[in-house]
Amino acid sequence: MDSSDPPFYETYKALFDKAAIEESRPTKREQVMFASSLEECEPPLIDLSQLDESRDCKSEIARASREWGFFQVVNHGISREILERMRREQVKVFRQPFEKKINEVKFLNFSSGSYRWGTPAATCLKQLSWSEAFHVPLADISGSDGCGSLSSTMEQFAGTVSDLANKLAEILAEDLGHKSDYFKENCLANTCYLRMNRYPPCPMFPNSNVFGLMPHTDSDFLTILYQDDVGGLQLVRDGQWFAVKPNPDALIVNIGDLFQAWSNGVYKSVEHRVVTNPRVERFSSAYFLCPFHDTVIKSCGQPPVYRNFSFREYRQQVQDDVQKLGQKVGLPRFLL
């Protein structure tokens, strides 16, 4: 590892030593869970070029959200130039020395805690995320001018992806017969987040598929992901894990927990994860459509599956569970 990489091995040496012993006698379940070769899947691919003219396009979006919880979009209106510039700036900022990145307040004018790596609460290797990220509130971006053109690039990327996220959310709301401006009123630029991810190579356990990001669901309404062609994203479908085949021309959209609760379980927030590559690093950028902290999420169907809760309460419950249990519990905490 070079000076830009977080000190994963030094910090989590005890977990790696324990895993090395367990790897010599894995259970059948662990062999399945960490299979290095999973069957590939391709979530529904939706062409948005006919979005304004075709009801079929909107129906495809709603159907994919019900059946998969994931879908891909092409002709989405975000230029290749913006996407490539975002990737270049992202690579550049992650190439900075680790000691500089952990001082994100001074380095980038981001809020304290925006730079994240590893899993502080991990008690075993399966709870460790072998990755680093800048998880940035959009309100921070306009002031983040400490690293050249990063700020303006992030701002342009977030602005265009935000428009797409709101358009998709409105379509999904309308399909349920509800007011389409709900998301414009509750999910503003200063309530959403942009996350830049880097997954360094993990050569220590090439046969174990150490998680770059441990299995989870997203705590938002919608996530829009721009990823490279390395691969590593996996999702659950019909109770089985599948590897998502990278499509360089598509953005990936997935339903978050808040949309599942708001839709009364109609749209599915699907568990997903990222596995590391032993030789190649992976980059992705994710936009999270989130409401105000005090926004109350109410199931729109009857009888309601979930009790009412605020976004603030949900985030706090997730944080408490991660600290106590080493993993997120999520929506099951709020079932009626």
Side-chain angles (χ1 to χ4, degrees):
M1 293 186 182
D2 59 36
S3 63
S4 68
D5 283 332
F8 288 109
Y9 190 75
E10 295 83 353
T11 303
Y12 298 105
K13 185 177 185 302
L15 302 187
F16 285 113
D17 290 345
K18 179 182 177 183
I21 297 173
E22 293 176 348
E23 192 177 63
S24 65
R25 44 182 172 80
T27 65
K28 184 176 181 181
R29 179 179 180 276
E30 286 170 334
Q31 288 174 331
V32 172
M33 183 177 182
F34 287 98
S36 58
S37 179
L38 289 178
E39 182 180 346
E40 280 192 328
C41 73
E42 295 185 63
L45 183 64
I46 301 173
D47 186 348
L48 300 185
S49 63
Q50 301 298 314
L51 184 60
D52 295 329
E53 291 80 22
S54 172
R55 293 185 61 85
D56 290 344
C57 184
K58 295 180 180 180
S59 296
E60 288 179 33
I61 292 169
R63 183 166 57 250
S65 299
R66 287 182 168 94
E67 297 177 0
W68 282 75
F70 267 76
F71 56 95
Q72 304 174 91
V73 294
V74 292
N75 294 317
H76 38 65
I78 302 168
S79 71
R80 175 59 58 181
E81 179 187 0
I82 291 175
L83 295 175
E84 291 179 351
R85 192 186 317 139
M86 182 67 202
R87 179 56 39 77
R88 288 195 301 270
E89 292 296 329
Q90 180 180 2
V91 171
K92 190 189 304 181
V93 74
F94 279 118
R95 290 284 184 266
Q96 297 296 322
F98 174 71
E99 294 301 326
K100 197 172 182 181
K101 288 182 288 191
I102 59 175
N103 291 306
E104 71 272 53
V105 177
K106 179 180 179 181
F107 174 41
L108 293 168
N109 290 335
F110 290 156
S111 300
S112 177
S114 296
Y115 178 67
R116 305 171 181 186
W117 66 279
T119 309
T123 58
C124 62
L125 194 62
K126 286 180 286 188
Q127 294 177 347
L128 173 62
S129 290
W130 185 277
S131 59
E132 59 178 333
F134 287 98
H135 191 85
V136 185
L138 296 195
D140 280 8
I141 293 177
S142 60
S144 60
D145 56 0
C147 191
S149 59
L150 176 64
S151 174
S152 61
T153 302
M154 291 176 69
E155 197 165 12
Q156 189 174 15
F157 175 82
T160 54
V161 177
S162 175
D163 291 342
L164 175 61
N166 276 284
K167 183 181 295 185
L168 295 173
E170 289 174 11
I171 290 169
L172 292 172
E174 289 174 350
D175 191 75
L176 295 174
H178 290 275
K179 190 170 69 169
S180 64
D181 57 357
Y182 173 88
F183 297 94
K184 287 183 178 178
E185 294 173 354
N186 290 280
C187 303
L188 305 183
N190 61 352
T191 67
C192 299
Y193 293 82
L194 182 63
R195 183 182 178 100
M196 299 181 291
N197 300 300
R198 174 179 175 259
Y199 302 91
C202 182
M204 284 78 172
F205 292 88
N207 298 317
S208 294
N209 283 6
V210 172
F211 292 134
L213 203 58
M214 60 186 292
H216 68 286
T217 56
D218 289 349
S219 303
D220 62 352
F221 278 111
L222 276 179
T223 303
I224 298 181
L225 180 76
Y226 169 50
Q227 62 171 350
D228 60 22
D229 60 358
V230 171
L233 177 63
Q234 300 177 350
L235 59 80
V236 172
R237 179 160 170 77
D238 297 328
Q240 300 293 322
W241 283 102
F242 291 87
V244 177
K245 184 178 180 180
N247 182 336
D249 297 318
L251 298 177
I252 292 180
V253 183
N254 66 277
I255 300 296
D257 297 343
L258 303 188
F259 227 140
Q260 177 167 321
W262 189 82
S263 69
N264 209 33
V266 173
Y267 301 137
K268 307 303 182 186
S269 180
V270 173
E271 192 175 25
H272 53 286
R273 67 191 184 190
V274 176
V275 293
T276 58
N277 187 296
R279 296 175 298 277
V280 184
E281 64 185 347
R282 175 180 183 267
F283 292 93
S284 68
S285 299
Y287 175 90
F288 299 96
L289 184 68
C290 300
F292 291 104
H293 284 177
D294 293 328
T295 298
V296 176
I297 310 301
K298 302 179 181 180
S299 292
C300 63
Q302 294 295 329
V305 176
Y306 305 97
R307 69 172 177 84
N308 296 349
F309 57 88
S310 71
F311 185 40
R312 185 188 307 278
E313 179 185 4
Y314 192 76
R315 283 168 53 95
Q316 187 59 56
Q317 183 64 62
V318 169
Q319 291 172 10
D320 291 346
D321 285 335
V322 170
Q323 290 177 356
K324 294 175 184 176
L325 306 175
Q327 62 186 5
K328 171 183 173 179
V329 177
L331 284 177
R333 292 285 194 201
F334 296 86
L335 286 167
L336 286 173

